[in-house]
Amino acid sequence: MQAVYHTLRPVYALWQREVIRFFRQRSRVVGVVLTPLVFWLILGLGFGDSFRAVQGQIEVSYLEFFYPGVIVLILLFTSIFSNISLIEDRNEGFFQNVLIAPVTSHGIVGGKILGGVTIALSQSLIFLIFAPFIGFKLNLIVVFLFVVTCVVLSIGLSSLGFIIAWKINSIQGFHAIMNVVLVPLWLLSGAVFPAEGSPVMIQWIIALNPIGYGVDLIKGVLYSAMPGGGIATIAPLSVFITLIFSILLLAFAANVVRVSRNG
Amino acid sequence: MISVHNVTYRYAESRVPALSDVTFEVTAGEICGFLAPNGGGKTTLFKILATMLPVQQGRLQYNGEDYQNNFKAIRNTIGVVFQNPSIDKKLTVRENLHCQVYIYGSTPSRESERINELVQLFDLSKYLDQKLETLSGGYQRRVELAKCMLHNPAVILLDEPSTGLDIVSRRDLWRYLKTIRDQRNVTVLVTTHIIDEAEQCDRVIILNEGELVVSGAPSVLKDEIGSEILSLKSEKIASVLSLLQEKWNIEGVQVDGTVRVELQGNRKFINQLLTDHLDIIDSATISKPSLADVFFNHTGNKFDELKEQEQT
């Protein structure tokens, strides 16, 4: 019981700090909502009728096809960027003090990541408002499954951001990793174009990319309330891989902190 | 209270140890300063004392508890103020203190009582709901001090706490440190490169190139040198040095463009020197010895405080 309390109190403190900070930075709030919205509208409307993908037996517009990918983009960017402050914070900021506090490394990582997850989830829920306008049907079960999926996926993405921020010593380096690794991972996840019809090598990359299973899971959840949908739209393999991806990265993040702070 | 025995630390990328065989003890309720130029080893020592670096060789004990085996107990015992602020400037004073309370696990019933007590001690009542980014550097330092005292530590460690503070804020900081020491018997360990600051400590430990040079009360260390120091500025240093040696059998030492003489009570020759040899002496200054002189006396190097401040 005592151990749980010791783990939970820094989680609460760091989570609360993260959320307060986020909502006090207006430009950040506006940026994370507007950027994916603009991205989605420009690409979705731009491709218009020139792009048709098949979802199940039905042809869908690019606006609809791209929608789950934008949700993952929101989760990716928000989760990853919520950790960027760590780069400076742990050497010459707020985190210096946290790292020498008598708390567990799990507590430190848990609080920071839960903060990132909360922000990412609130962004994706705001974006969910647009789903009915492009034909998705929402009900309580879909929203619940959507929340669970976003939480699990953003735990993984936020842990990934945490690990990168911990290992990198400059913000410029972090941006380089974002551009060279993370953005291509998203582009090659089936979020922007379907795997079917791509060169075999691209199909393999998409099949090996864990973020692709996250995109697939969100698609499955959104289509579960559509006619002919149901729970069968959610692929068990996507559930399994997304869970494993998040658990492994969370454990790895906790270990990175434990090793670097002598306990 | 704190004992450091033969502690040596070497960074992976360096051949030379950052700390070499350092041994000292600090008693409870003492303000102990670590004075060193850049690269002297004070930051490494601070990091080891704050449990940020492991003890590679030697032994470190807090209250008889071994450092290596008891991180958690030691982290509960110490409060740390870093050179760069560890407060969140987007949060208010109250939010920063609340956050610290949760991180250090004070019971919620004690939380408000403790915050109020420290807010009063550091005169922060008026600013409780103000964001840190709107407060001056001096007030931010006070919040840091309040924050590090929240869990009632027996020892507080401060890494160059005066950096970036004006003279008034610096004086305030020291007033608070002495209050904490006097009212709560807290042991204060402070690293500094500022001579004035080191002179306010009960005891100062001087480090140079990772080695402990000398340790003691500032007044005792200064008394060991003698009562006064004569500094002679001259364009012809060699002539002044040989003149002192030949005429009065006094050994002077060249420090940059100055000849430095420890007077040891002998002032008689000064009048004659200035009367007969003003042609080679630009200026003469007599001063009480400072810790910079103690540093020079033990290392043979000038402690260039101004240069240190610029670098910092």
Side-chain angles (χ1 to χ4, degrees):
Chain A
M1 197 62 197
Q2 190 75 355
V4 174
Y5 174 69
H6 276 293
T7 304
L8 287 185
R9 57 187 168 73
V11 170
Y12 174 72
L14 297 176
W15 167 80
Q16 191 185 40
R17 174 204 177 226
E18 207 66 31
V19 173
I20 293 174
R21 274 177 67 82
F22 178 74
F23 286 105
R24 288 212 176 132
Q25 291 169 286
R26 278 186 209 146
S27 56
R28 217 176 133 194
V29 178
V30 173
V32 288
V33 176
L34 283 186
T35 310
L37 179 64
V38 169
F39 213 56
W40 176 58
L41 287 176
I42 290 176
L43 283 178
L45 296 172
F47 276 113
D49 289 338
S50 59
F51 176 95
R52 307 303 294 177
V54 176
Q55 181 67 39
Q57 303 293 321
I58 311 155
E59 268 203 346
V60 296
S61 67
Y62 192 68
L63 216 51
E64 186 179 327
F65 171 82
F66 193 34
Y67 185 81
V70 177
I71 296 281
V72 173
L73 181 71
I74 291 171
L75 296 178
L76 179 74
F77 271 64
T78 315
S79 305
I80 300 269
F81 274 111
S82 67
N83 288 297
I84 202 163
S85 59
L86 254 184
I87 296 167
E88 285 175 346
D89 245 14
R90 76 190 166 95
N91 290 323
E92 44 192 55
F94 178 84
F95 252 75
Q96 299 172 104
N97 192 278
V98 177
L99 292 173
I100 52 138
V103 292
T104 62
S105 301
H106 294 90
I108 295 173
V109 173
K112 182 76 183 160
I113 285 173
L114 193 62
V117 169
T118 306
I119 296 163
L121 180 65
S122 57
Q123 304 298 328
S124 55
L125 278 173
I126 290 172
F127 204 72
L128 192 65
I129 293 167
F130 300 106
F133 295 107
I134 47 169
F136 287 115
K137 289 189 167 47
L138 299 181
N139 57 35
L140 276 179
I141 296 170
V142 171
V143 174
F144 172 75
L145 290 174
F146 179 83
V147 168
V148 172
T149 306
C150 287
V151 167
V152 173
L153 188 55
S154 60
I155 286 174
L157 296 172
S158 195
S159 303
L160 183 63
F162 189 100
I163 295 160
I164 296 170
W166 202 266
K167 297 278 181 192
I168 300 262
N169 284 325
S170 73
I171 290 176
Q172 290 85 345
F174 190 88
H175 282 291
I177 296 277
M178 274 290 295
N179 293 332
V180 175
V181 180
L182 299 174
V183 173
L185 265 181
W186 173 73
L187 289 170
L188 293 169
S189 66
V192 186
F193 54 84
E196 302 81 36
S198 319
V200 177
M201 198 182 77
I202 299 288
Q203 288 190 31
W204 268 103
I205 293 173
I206 293 175
L208 293 171
N209 181 358
I211 294 176
Y213 294 90
V215 174
D216 196 50
L217 199 51
I218 290 195
K219 267 186 195 165
V221 167
L222 288 172
Y223 281 103
S224 64
M226 301 292 271
I231 201 77
T233 57
I234 300 169
L237 183 65
S238 298
V239 176
F240 178 74
I241 290 184
T242 306
L243 267 174
I244 293 292
F245 169 73
S246 295
I247 291 168
L248 285 180
L249 285 176
L250 184 62
F252 188 53
N255 193 52
V256 164
V257 175
R258 190 185 59 75
V259 169
S260 70
R261 71 186 282 258
N262 303 320
Chain B
M1 179 73 207
I2 300 166
S3 53
V4 173
H5 286 290
N6 307 108
V7 167
T8 295
Y9 191 89
R10 192 188 303 268
Y11 290 99
E13 64 273 17
S14 173
R15 281 190 207 166
V16 187
L19 270 186
S20 185
D21 212 19
V22 170
T23 298
F24 63 86
E25 291 203 353
V26 181
T27 52
E30 193 175 29
I31 298 185
C32 179
F34 299 101
L35 178 69
N38 274 351
K42 58 184 184 300
T43 300
T44 305
L45 182 59
F46 170 84
K47 285 183 173 176
I48 290 174
L49 292 170
T51 75
M52 294 159 77
L53 289 176
V55 176
Q56 289 176 337
Q57 272 178 53
R59 197 166 184 201
L60 167 61
Q61 290 182 313
Y62 276 88
N63 276 336
E65 299 261 20
D66 240 323
Y67 175 99
Q68 282 89 334
N69 306 326
N70 218 335
F71 286 112
K72 205 165 175 186
I74 289 166
R75 284 171 177 167
N76 265 317
T77 310
I78 58 173
V80 181
V81 175
F82 295 89
Q83 190 178 343
N84 295 304
S86 68
I87 40 177
D88 191 322
K89 293 183 183 173
K90 292 276 171 217
L91 268 56
T92 63
V93 174
R94 192 193 300 276
E95 286 163 349
N96 266 289
L97 297 178
H98 271 279
C99 195
Q100 182 80 349
V101 164
Y102 276 102
I103 287 170
Y104 274 83
S106 168
T107 54
S109 54
R110 286 272 297 142
E111 175 194 333
S112 300
E113 187 190 324
R114 188 88 187 114
I115 289 177
N116 286 339
E117 194 186 323
L118 289 167
V119 158
Q120 305 252 318
L121 178 69
F122 294 106
D123 301 317
L124 288 165
S125 314
K126 275 196 285 181
Y127 308 99
L128 253 183
D129 294 309
Q130 246 177 270
K131 275 193 226 167
L132 263 294
E133 63 189 0
T134 64
L135 298 182
S136 69
Y139 276 98
Q140 291 185 7
R141 265 289 186 248
R142 288 192 207 178
V143 177
E144 290 260 12
L145 270 180
K147 197 177 144 185
C148 93
M149 289 291 296
L150 267 170
H151 60 291
N152 227 350
V155 179
I156 64 170
L157 296 158
L158 302 101
D159 189 16
E160 310 209 1
S162 298
T163 304
L165 295 188
D166 57 36
I167 292 173
V168 178
S169 305
R170 193 179 291 180
R171 206 179 300 143
D172 265 358
L173 174 80
W174 276 89
R175 183 164 56 85
Y176 287 121
L177 289 180
K178 286 177 179 167
T179 308
I180 293 168
R181 188 259 323 258
D182 296 340
Q183 290 184 3
R184 291 150 199 256
N185 198 37
V186 170
T187 308
V188 179
L189 304 181
V190 52
T191 69
T192 185
H193 59 262
I194 301 169
I195 299 290
D196 283 352
E197 200 163 66
E199 300 213 350
Q200 299 202 52
C201 298
D202 301 325
R203 192 150 66 91
V204 66
I205 292 172
I206 298 181
L207 299 161
N208 187 42
E209 294 175 354
E211 290 179 4
L212 193 151
V213 173
V214 67
S215 151
S219 56
V220 173
L221 293 177
K222 288 188 286 186
D223 285 349
E224 283 170 6
I225 296 179
S227 55
E228 287 162 335
I229 304 284
L230 171 67
S231 302
L232 300 166
K233 267 198 172 170
S234 172
E235 295 285 308
K236 298 173 179 171
I237 297 277
S239 310
V240 176
L241 284 170
S242 59
L243 177 73
L244 287 168
Q245 182 69 54
E246 285 160 18
K247 207 161 178 179
W248 294 284
N249 196 26
I250 290 172
E251 194 149 338
V253 181
Q254 181 181 347
V255 183
D256 296 339
T258 310
V259 172
R260 182 180 173 280
V261 178
E262 290 174 13
L263 289 176
Q264 308 288 1
N266 172 18
R267 298 174 74 168
K268 284 179 197 159
F269 72 99
I270 300 173
N271 262 345
Q272 198 186 345
L273 171 74
L274 295 179
T275 313
D276 298 348
H277 303 283
L278 203 55
D279 52 328
I280 57 166
I281 293 168
D282 299 332
S283 72
T285 315
I286 298 175
S287 59
K288 297 242 176 234
S290 70
L291 285 173
D293 296 305
V294 174
F295 182 84
F296 177 82
N297 214 36
H298 285 86
T299 65
N301 298 320
K302 192 179 173 199
F303 190 93
D304 200 340
E305 190 183 14
L306 286 175
K307 194 171 143 201
E308 291 300 315
Q309 274 172 305
E310 278 163 21
Q311 284 173 349
T312 307

